[in-house]
Amino acid sequence: MLSLVFVSLVLLLLISLLFKFAFADGDFTLISKKHVKREAIEGKVVWITGASRGIGEVLAKQFANLDAKLILSARNEAELERVKNELKGKYAPEDVKVLPLDLASGEESLKHVVEQAVSLFPGDGVDYLVHNAAYERPKSKATDATEEILKTTFDVNVFGTITLTKLVAPHMLNQGGGHFVVISSAAGKVSSSGQAIYSASKHALHGYFHSLRSEFCQKGIKVTVVCPGPIETSNGTGASTSEDKKSPEKHVSSERCAELTIIAASHNLKEAWISHQPVLLVMYIVQYMPSLGFWLMDKVGGKRVEVAGKKGNTYSWKLLFGEKTKTN
């Protein structure tokens, strides 16, 4: 009798977890946190790259609402000023700093920008550096990428991001610590057909930042790598964008993505996955059953590139089950 009760409880727990997972928009650890630890954000200096649109703009709004001191960076200064003027919070918009930045400008230029950034709030330095800026091209075959696309993608997504980190890290170490929040992508965890170069650049960030954290975590350096799947953005691109707004497959809103990113950072999670199904399921399978996961990716790979060329939904369940996908 007791064993029957035990088995029943286990089954109920498994059913509950499966149901929760089916409708989840993040990994289990992330969604278990539920709320931002406000005390980890309030009064802290947060520097956001790629803050002029998309997820970066939404992150700026949510950090401002949490009473963070903000530095906004991107190439377009006029758009940064627009974002600044729309912010509300204890330090916004009056004390929000706009700092134009081009990640592909080279180390000397970035060094000058970092010197400005760490002095914008005297005595405070930079507590969080949110690496949101990224370059992504429309989906294409791995063999079709030009040298220009390869160079531009890695200059922004990898070399510029790493160089900026190398320049900021000594200042964080001198002040006793700091936190790098890296907006990567599901493509940084799972091979992504049609996004080979973009995916490669995000995989590179995972290698660098997880190594950085291991080397300096005892000295106060924290790293949170965030991996969004397909994201709905209203004005520009974040980590990903919805390709078919009429599709039945759900995409996480940029507001929810930003909220989960800040939750992950405030709880000092090492890595966080943000997506609805089927992307979240595939990420778990690739992580814990790689042979099966890569078999699935191989199954959809060619079809995904073909659907992308027709501007269809490349995140559809139908790619897994061999059904024809709708195209515009």
Side-chain angles (χ1 to χ4, degrees):
M1 182 66 180
L2 285 175
S3 57
L4 180 61
V5 171
F6 177 76
V7 170
S8 298
L9 289 173
V10 170
L11 286 174
L12 283 173
L13 178 61
L14 287 173
I15 291 170
S16 174
L17 287 173
L18 286 172
F19 183 81
K20 187 176 183 179
F21 182 68
F23 296 97
D25 56 5
D27 66 80
F28 281 120
T29 304
L30 175 59
I31 61 177
S32 71
K33 299 305 178 184
K34 296 183 181 179
H35 303 294
V36 173
K37 288 176 67 175
R38 190 183 183 97
E39 65 273 17
I41 305 297
E42 191 172 4
K44 299 295 192 296
V45 177
V46 180
W47 184 8
I48 306 172
T49 69
S52 62
R53 60 180 185 173
I55 294 174
E57 177 178 348
V58 180
L59 280 168
K61 291 177 179 178
Q62 294 193 12
F63 272 117
N65 287 336
L66 291 167
D67 295 338
K69 301 173 182 178
L70 291 178
I71 304 171
L72 307 182
S73 286
R75 288 181 298 173
N76 191 325
E77 187 171 0
E79 281 298 293
L80 290 173
E81 289 289 348
R82 175 189 63 79
V83 173
K84 171 183 174 178
N85 291 330
E86 293 177 1
L87 300 182
K88 296 178 182 179
K90 182 178 180 180
Y91 301 101
E94 294 82 5
D95 295 326
V96 173
K97 312 299 183 184
V98 167
L99 184 60
L101 168 70
D102 180 359
L103 281 174
S105 61
E107 185 167 354
E108 284 304 313
S109 175
L110 292 178
K111 186 181 296 185
H112 177 65
V113 175
V114 169
E115 288 171 355
Q116 288 181 271
V118 297
S119 63
L120 287 174
F121 293 95
D124 289 335
V126 172
D127 298 299
Y128 289 85
L129 174 51
V130 182
H131 285 297
N132 175 67
Y135 179 81
E136 181 180 7
R137 294 290 297 166
K139 292 178 178 62
S140 63
K141 294 179 181 177
T143 54
D144 289 344
T146 64
E147 183 178 2
E148 180 185 358
I149 289 175
L150 178 63
K151 185 178 185 303
T152 303
T153 302
F154 272 74
D155 278 349
V156 175
N157 294 4
V158 182
F159 304 136
T161 299
I162 290 176
T163 299
L164 190 64
T165 300
K166 285 170 52 185
L167 294 169
V168 172
H171 294 281
M172 287 185 172
L173 289 168
N174 287 337
Q175 70 188 25
H179 199 145
F180 294 101
V181 181
V182 185
I183 308 300
S184 178
S185 170
K189 293 294 292 182
V190 177
S191 56
S192 184
S193 304
Q195 295 178 291
I197 306 304
Y198 178 75
S199 180
S201 72
K202 293 301 185 179
H203 273 77
L205 290 183
H206 283 241
Y208 177 80
F209 279 99
H210 285 312
S211 298
L212 175 77
R213 186 193 62 251
S214 295
E215 291 177 18
F216 292 102
C217 63
Q218 301 298 324
K219 296 182 179 181
I221 297 298
K222 301 174 184 177
V223 172
T224 297
V225 179
V226 181
C227 307
I231 302 298
E232 287 279 12
T233 56
S234 58
N235 56 347
T237 60
S240 309
T241 57
S242 167
E243 295 167 340
D244 183 2
K245 293 185 179 180
K246 297 179 181 178
S247 122
E249 285 75 24
K250 293 177 67 178
H251 295 74
V252 179
S253 70
S254 54
E255 289 77 16
R256 178 60 173 164
C257 180
E259 178 188 7
L260 288 172
T261 295
I262 299 173
I263 288 173
S266 70
H267 286 272
N268 190 27
L269 300 187
K270 309 302 188 287
E271 188 168 290
W273 303 349
I274 300 172
S275 182
H276 287 298
Q277 308 297 356
V279 175
L280 192 60
L281 173 63
V282 171
M283 291 175 76
Y284 266 100
I285 293 174
V286 170
Q287 178 86 354
Y288 297 107
M289 294 182 286
S291 294
L292 175 59
F294 288 125
W295 176 81
L296 285 171
M297 297 309 297
D298 291 347
K299 181 178 173 65
V300 305
K303 288 183 273 186
R304 191 167 189 260
V305 176
E306 181 182 344
V307 169
K310 297 177 181 178
K311 301 188 184 302
N313 179 23
T314 60
Y315 298 99
S316 173
W317 282 105
K318 297 174 184 178
L319 291 174
L320 288 174
F321 300 118
E323 300 177 46
K324 291 184 178 181
T325 54
K326 292 181 181 180
T327 56
N328 296 330

